[in-house]
Amino acid sequence: MRAFLAPLLGLLLLGGCSGMEPAPHCDMGRVSSQRDLVPGPAMIPGEPSPLKEMPLNSASIIDANIINKVHVRAITARRTATGTVEVVAQVVNCTDFPLNAEARTQFYDGALSPSEPASAWRRLALPARAVTGYHEFSIGAQTVEHYLIEMRETR
Amino acid sequence: MNRHPFTLLLTALLLLPFAADAQTVGGKVPPYQPPAKAAPPASAETGADLDRAARPDPFRRRDEVVLNFAESYAKGGRPRLAFYWNRQLTDTLTQWHSDSRTVSTARTTGATDGDYSLKQQRTTQTATETQRRTAGSADRDNPEETWEWEFQDGFVSPFLNANAEVMDRAAILRIMGAGAEDFDPRTVEVMALQTMSDLLVEVLVADSAKSGSGYELRARILDVRTGTILAMVNSRSLPEWRKDGQAVATARGFDLPDEDDDSFGPERHDQRYRATSSGFERGRKPPRIGDVARNLAYNVMIALTPRLENGPSPAPAALQPPVPVRTPAATEAKPAANDSALPLPDVEAKPLPAPVKPTSQAAAPAVPSDEPPMPRPTVQ
Amino acid sequence: MRRTHAAIAVIVAGLSLAACQQVDNTAGAPTVYIDPATSGPVKGVGIESQDIVGMTDQMMRDMLSQPRLTNAATPPSVIIDSEYFHNESSSRLNKNTITDRLRIGLNRAAAGRMQFVGRHYADMVAKERELKRQGTVDRGGLPAARAQKGGDYRLGGRITSLDSRDPRSGAMQRYSQIVFEMIDLETSEIVWSGIYEFAKSAQDDIIYR
């Protein structure tokens, strides 16, 4: 028991000595562990789909370069005054360096089919440790029921 | 085996926060509800003015002016109108003038002595005078011939429509001048005017950089018997030629007219838009010269109508026809044009008798002198 | 023991088969075609295809969320062309590329919520109308109109830029700003505005033709 206590105490002391890190603190281990991929649409009824992807109404970081650098904090969807859908996502840059990312949104109808062409890539300048908003409007109104945001690093 | 359930429970507890902290999955799209239609912006304007008829063209045909003029013209005794196209009636009496002369004087004196004495003295004088035709006042720069045709057509046609008696200058000059070739054409001109016309319509065209069309017009109506100016129309003062002074919409907004801008000119009433591949473009072409001339004629008619309403003007008392006889005494005493300016009764055009030619002996009196008098200008 | 060996052999074979079915995560065949929505191998500081695609898509979606434009009781007639869309920037580009893409995208997406006036085809329409009224051609099947359609709103806008260059390194930087506005053609009220801006920096500017 004493053999366990000594290194534990040492680690705690080390932690106390470390400087204060600016917020936000991104626990990427927890983020990745709880990433839940869902089966894609099955081509054959009754057969499980071989495709596993991000669930709808979510943001998927499709670039390995930034998957451990940014974190999509919250996504909301709302109807505009014309009935189109506006999705808003808050993207956190967890690094100490400014990043350039770009995102697009694909809107889907009730049958999980794309209701319109995917939006153009909208560039996001992500300042270090800052939260940046991303928003996109749908073209259609009545046909839009789901969305999927995709994000990658700007080349 | 006892520790196994504990481990599972611990793992589940550790995973719980993750499940509550789902980061990538967002909210669902709210169900669609048809939004209320946006009302059009409130405006008191009904847009009725969009359907109104187009504004009248200032250069349109105005038959009512012609009709009014025709009535007044009949009341005024149907005076004959002589049209002067771009020729100004000048105050120069003769067609020739001289501004220089060269006098060469030679004096020869000889004496011979002998049994008898003979004294001879001779003086020779030669005067050379350069004469040139007066220019710039009556004859003006003529515009292009086709331009002139269109202009004359536009100007004369309202008068012809009003059944006015329109005389041509060249024609009455030729008729009056037949057989009087030795006369100064200006004399013949006045004779022709006074015998074969009642009113002189003088239409002048002048180049003007300030005018949008590049020219200005002036029309003047003179009573040839009295010299009275009955009407005068200047294109600058015509409402159709004046700018409205309104702000002009440009790519930078509205441009107010420059205060120093005194430009003017005939403009199309509707500033027609032409359909082009890049949309509608405004046609800034000025109206046709025929329309402009007709508009000038209408304005002349309007100006003349009240004068004609008063009836024919009384003829002056002295009605002596100018005798086309030219004597040296008369020539030296006073210009013949003054006499001929007297009005004439209505005289039918007929060839005049051949005038008496001035005698050549009546030239400079041979008075020996160092400074000989100026010789009388000779007829061509 | 023999059963254990057999099981291991089956597992190994299965693993190796599974390895054959993995994603071949390598680059595809090279092609001259590139995604116009993504910057290609030739990159400069000017306005490029991905910018045009991005700005027109963004403006189109934004306009479609404006009730006065796309949810009016009477669908407005809009004119979208480059007649009043001015390029005052140092980028050389054809303005029609932007306005055409915007008009096409809007027209396809509007689905009757807006009506589009082809003002750049005015001469074509005028000619046909005149031919019909002269009797040279027949009147066609659709009802006649008193005049060509007038516009309720028209697109205006401006492209401006700010250039800077480091004389020591030759690096160039350009800030580009593209402004889109919809103007009420009766009152000159600006009923909608959109802005698209970006700044790019590169060692040396490429040549845009």
Side-chain angles (χ1 to χ4, degrees):
Chain A
M1 199 62 187
R2 289 180 66 186
F4 274 108
L5 276 176
L8 193 64
L9 195 63
L11 281 172
L12 281 172
L13 285 173
L14 274 175
C17 290
S18 63
M20 184 180 288
E21 194 181 357
H25 296 175
C26 303
D27 190 348
M28 286 302 171
R30 290 172 59 192
V31 168
S32 61
S33 67
Q34 71 94 51
R35 222 168 85 113
D36 186 22
L37 298 181
V38 298
M43 301 301 290
I44 304 166
E47 288 287 321
S49 170
L51 177 67
K52 279 203 159 188
E53 58 177 344
M54 291 293 292
L56 291 180
N57 304 336
S58 67
S60 170
I61 298 170
I62 60 172
D63 192 342
N65 289 326
I66 57 167
I67 198 165
N68 283 325
K69 293 181 177 177
V70 299
H71 170 63
V72 182
R73 190 170 73 174
I75 310 166
T76 56
R78 59 185 176 221
R79 293 273 178 187
T80 67
T82 60
T84 59
V85 176
E86 181 185 18
V87 292
V88 181
Q90 299 175 45
V91 186
V92 183
N93 179 2
C94 300
T95 71
D96 289 329
F97 306 94
L99 293 174
N100 277 304
E102 53 191 16
R104 70 172 188 180
T105 305
Q106 174 72 67
F107 291 94
Y108 296 89
D109 60 14
L112 304 184
S113 295
S115 60
E116 61 193 43
S119 75
W121 291 101
R122 190 191 285 254
R123 270 176 299 285
L124 304 170
L126 306 173
R129 299 271 181 185
V131 181
T132 306
Y134 163 79
H135 75 106
E136 193 59 88
F137 292 103
S138 73
I139 295 174
Q142 205 166 352
T143 54
V144 178
E145 292 195 17
H146 306 285
Y147 59 88
L148 179 64
I149 302 170
E150 294 168 319
M151 189 177 293
R152 68 183 183 187
E153 189 171 26
T154 304
R155 300 288 175 193
Chain B
M1 286 299 284
N2 285 341
R3 290 171 65 186
H4 194 61
F6 177 73
T7 313
L8 280 175
L9 186 64
L10 194 65
T11 312
L13 282 173
L14 282 171
L15 283 173
L16 264 179
F18 291 108
D21 193 23
Q23 56 128 355
T24 51
V25 177
K28 286 184 178 176
V29 174
Y32 175 79
Q33 289 178 335
K37 294 286 184 189
S43 172
E45 295 292 325
T46 58
D49 57 333
L50 294 174
D51 298 328
R52 72 182 171 194
R55 284 179 300 156
D57 180 3
F59 295 99
R60 68 190 183 281
R61 290 187 178 277
R62 295 164 70 178
D63 292 335
E64 75 282 0
V65 174
V66 177
L67 283 175
N68 285 342
F69 177 77
E71 288 177 11
S72 307
Y73 185 74
K75 286 181 191 170
R78 301 184 59 76
R80 292 163 299 177
L81 306 171
F83 281 83
Y84 266 41
W85 298 112
N86 213 22
R87 286 186 71 86
Q88 194 164 17
L89 195 65
T90 66
D91 57 357
T92 311
L93 301 179
T94 60
Q95 200 175 15
W96 300 92
H97 79 101
S98 61
D99 52 6
S100 66
R101 63 169 179 157
T102 307
V103 176
S104 163
T105 306
R107 179 174 292 175
T108 308
T109 306
T112 307
D113 291 333
D115 293 338
Y116 63 96
S117 153
L118 176 65
K119 197 171 185 180
Q120 184 184 15
Q121 191 172 27
R122 191 172 65 188
T123 302
T124 304
Q125 178 183 339
T126 306
T128 306
E129 185 183 25
T130 307
Q131 293 191 349
R132 55 176 66 92
R133 195 185 287 269
T134 52
S137 52
D139 296 327
R140 302 162 62 82
D141 291 337
N142 280 328
E144 198 182 341
E145 195 176 44
T146 50
W147 188 95
E148 206 166 1
W149 291 345
E150 188 180 355
F151 183 88
Q152 292 180 5
D153 176 52
F155 193 88
V156 171
S157 60
F159 288 97
L160 293 178
N161 290 341
N163 203 20
E165 290 186 42
V166 177
M167 321 300 285
D168 180 60
R169 172 187 176 270
I172 61 173
L173 243 69
R174 290 293 299 275
I175 293 168
M176 184 58 77
E181 289 82 2
D182 290 336
F183 280 8
D184 190 294
R186 296 232 163 122
T187 308
V188 178
E189 184 175 13
V190 173
M191 287 162 55
L193 278 175
Q194 292 193 329
T195 55
M196 301 185 69
S197 72
D198 301 308
L199 299 180
L200 167 64
V201 182
E202 181 190 77
V203 182
L204 301 183
V205 182
D207 292 338
S208 171
K210 289 181 177 174
S211 168
S213 58
Y215 57 85
E216 289 185 48
L217 302 170
R218 193 192 78 173
R220 204 168 57 150
I221 316 292
L222 298 170
D223 188 335
V224 296
R225 290 175 298 176
T226 61
T228 313
I229 297 176
L230 296 179
M232 191 152 164
V233 177
N234 189 355
S235 58
R236 282 196 187 208
S237 57
L238 291 181
E240 294 86 359
W241 284 56
R242 271 183 302 209
K243 289 194 169 176
D244 52 7
Q246 288 183 344
V248 180
T250 69
R252 301 172 306 280
F254 288 103
D255 276 355
L256 287 170
D258 190 358
E259 288 180 358
D260 298 332
D261 181 18
D262 52 354
S263 64
F264 59 95
E267 289 181 356
R268 279 177 188 262
H269 70 295
D270 52 356
Q271 299 282 313
R272 284 185 181 283
Y273 280 89
R274 249 174 342 110
T276 69
S277 58
S278 58
F280 291 99
E281 285 181 3
R282 178 174 253 179
R284 302 204 66 89
K285 200 175 170 183
R288 295 174 61 84
I289 182 63
D291 296 336
V292 174
R294 197 173 56 225
N295 175 258
L296 187 72
Y298 289 147
N299 281 286
V300 168
M301 285 177 161
I302 292 168
L304 203 53
T305 297
R307 309 301 293 262
L308 292 172
E309 291 278 347
N310 299 330
S313 59
L319 294 175
Q320 293 298 320
V323 181
V325 175
R326 197 169 196 173
T327 60
T331 311
E332 285 173 7
K334 55 190 293 191
N338 279 354
D339 290 330
S340 62
L342 287 171
L344 287 174
D346 288 342
V347 175
E348 290 301 318
K350 59 184 178 184
L352 292 176
V356 178
K357 297 198 174 181
T359 54
S360 58
Q361 291 86 347
V367 178
S369 160
D370 286 346
E371 237 359 91
M374 179 72 185
R376 193 187 67 81
T378 53
V379 181
Q380 182 184 11
Chain C
M1 272 312 272
R2 288 187 63 180
R3 286 184 66 180
T4 309
H5 280 290
I8 290 171
V10 167
I11 288 167
V12 169
L15 282 175
S16 49
L17 273 175
C20 291
Q21 297 302 318
Q22 276 184 349
V23 174
D24 178 16
N25 199 4
T26 56
T31 172
V32 293
Y33 290 99
I34 55 172
D35 179 11
T38 307
S39 60
V42 183
K43 302 183 187 77
V45 297
I47 298 174
E48 292 168 343
S49 69
Q50 70 275 10
D51 301 312
I52 290 171
V53 170
M55 76 175 82
T56 52
D57 187 82
Q58 188 174 319
M59 296 306 142
M60 173 189 72
R61 290 168 187 269
D62 202 31
M63 269 192 238
L64 289 171
S65 67
Q66 297 302 311
R68 277 185 75 170
L69 292 178
T70 54
N71 198 34
T74 306
S77 298
V78 297
I79 304 170
I80 293 183
D81 59 11
S82 60
E83 194 64 28
Y84 296 95
F85 191 73
H86 306 292
N87 179 16
E88 298 174 3
S89 74
S90 48
S91 291
R92 180 177 176 169
L93 85 161
N94 189 342
K95 300 177 296 180
N96 286 329
T97 317
I98 297 173
T99 54
D100 285 356
R101 192 174 196 280
L102 183 60
R103 184 180 61 254
I104 304 297
L106 268 177
N107 200 359
R108 290 176 62 84
R113 290 179 284 180
M114 282 191 280
Q115 294 183 338
F116 292 83
V117 178
R119 189 48 61 80
H120 49 299
Y121 298 123
D123 57 339
M124 178 175 79
V125 179
K127 189 177 175 185
E128 189 67 17
R129 285 174 60 89
E130 198 172 333
L131 287 173
K132 284 178 184 172
R133 279 148 184 81
Q134 284 175 354
T136 312
V137 300
D138 75 357
R139 54 182 301 155
L142 293 174
R146 193 168 60 85
Q148 292 195 38
K149 204 173 190 55
D152 293 318
Y153 303 123
R154 186 163 192 164
L155 178 82
R158 194 176 290 158
I159 308 171
T160 50
S161 66
L162 180 67
D163 285 23
S164 49
R165 185 186 281 273
D166 187 342
R168 287 171 299 180
S169 65
M172 188 168 180
Q173 182 176 318
R174 181 177 299 168
Y175 166 68
S176 297
Q177 186 187 75
I178 303 103
V179 170
F180 299 81
E181 285 170 321
M182 290 295 272
I183 318 296
D184 186 323
L185 290 177
E186 278 291 322
T187 63
S188 77
E189 179 190 357
I190 300 175
V191 297
W192 170 87
S193 295
I195 187 170
Y196 187 89
E197 59 183 351
F198 59 86
K200 291 182 183 178
S201 178
Q203 189 60 31
D204 204 357
D205 193 13
I206 60 165
I207 299 165
Y208 294 95
R209 289 172 187 269

